[in-house]
Amino acid sequence: MAKKDKNAHVSETPATQMLRAHKVEFTEHPYDYVEHGGTEESARQLGLDEHAVVKTLVMQDQDAKPLIVLMHGDCKVSTKNLARQIGAKSVEPCKPEVANRHSGYLVGGTSPFGTKRKMPVYIEETILALPRIAINGGRRGYLVQLAPEVCTRLLDARPVHCALAE
């Protein structure tokens, strides 16, 4: 199999289309997707700090209303803390097929940008203190790096404190 050129331009996704439409500066970082490799694998391949690689998690509240949580790659979400902060009785991850339906992306390639369905977005507040983040660009094996405040500006992401160390 031919080795991917790490500097090659990757074809557009709904996420990159949205970022370009809003004139957001970002860099593209393709890598070899590994099933269940998660942010640990992408950070390793790209030489990034996993704490600055942000996971896009599609979750739902007690009424099955979907929401997105942006979390550090090396942390888990405290669903109890999240539910309390957003005024929900409970929050849980969506099943992969449900997450795919809501976002329009395959799990492992979910971006918060350009989702099929508009959902409220919550961002772990400490992510906003980072100078740059790497976040999924809308395809498995593809991250984009950008300023974290793009998430609050474009997605109206609400800061929350719900990180648990893994």
Side-chain angles (χ1 to χ4, degrees):
M1 189 163 93
K3 191 97 172 106
K4 282 188 206 160
D5 176 2
K6 299 294 182 201
N7 299 316
H9 172 71
V10 177
S11 62
E12 290 288 317
T13 66
T16 57
Q17 288 171 349
M18 179 184 184
L19 292 171
R20 288 186 208 290
H22 288 87
K23 301 192 178 351
V24 171
E25 282 186 37
F26 65 93
T27 54
E28 300 175 292
H29 301 273
Y31 64 95
D32 295 318
Y33 179 76
V34 175
E35 193 77 34
H36 305 297
T39 54
E40 185 177 3
E41 181 60 26
S42 58
R44 185 190 66 74
Q45 283 190 38
L46 296 171
L48 301 171
D49 176 358
E50 190 182 5
H51 196 67
V53 177
V54 175
K55 303 185 265 202
T56 303
L57 304 166
V58 181
M59 299 192 158
Q60 63 187 19
D61 69 10
Q62 69 283 347
D63 300 320
K65 288 199 178 94
L67 57 108
I68 289 177
V69 181
L70 303 178
M71 181 54 68
H72 294 285
D74 59 354
C75 296
K76 285 193 277 207
V77 173
S78 165
T79 54
K80 278 186 181 156
N81 286 350
L82 178 63
R84 196 175 311 116
Q85 289 177 62
I86 67 173
K89 284 190 186 109
S90 65
V91 174
E92 64 182 12
C94 286
K95 288 184 167 53
E97 60 278 7
V98 175
N100 294 349
R101 235 183 3 258
H102 291 314
S103 70
Y105 295 113
L106 287 175
V107 169
T110 304
S111 178
F113 304 105
T115 55
K116 190 162 79 174
R117 179 175 182 176
K118 183 141 176 58
M119 297 174 266
V121 179
Y122 300 94
I123 185 168
E124 173 57 37
E125 190 166 26
T126 52
I127 291 170
L128 297 170
L130 298 171
R132 286 182 71 72
I133 59 170
I135 195 163
N136 199 287
R139 173 179 296 118
R140 289 174 170 178
Y142 177 54
L143 298 182
V144 293
Q145 272 192 310
L146 42 74
E149 58 270 11
V150 169
C151 299
T152 52
R153 189 166 48 88
L154 281 193
L155 304 172
D156 201 23
R158 208 172 102 200
V160 291
H161 284 288
C162 61
L164 294 172
E166 284 220 70

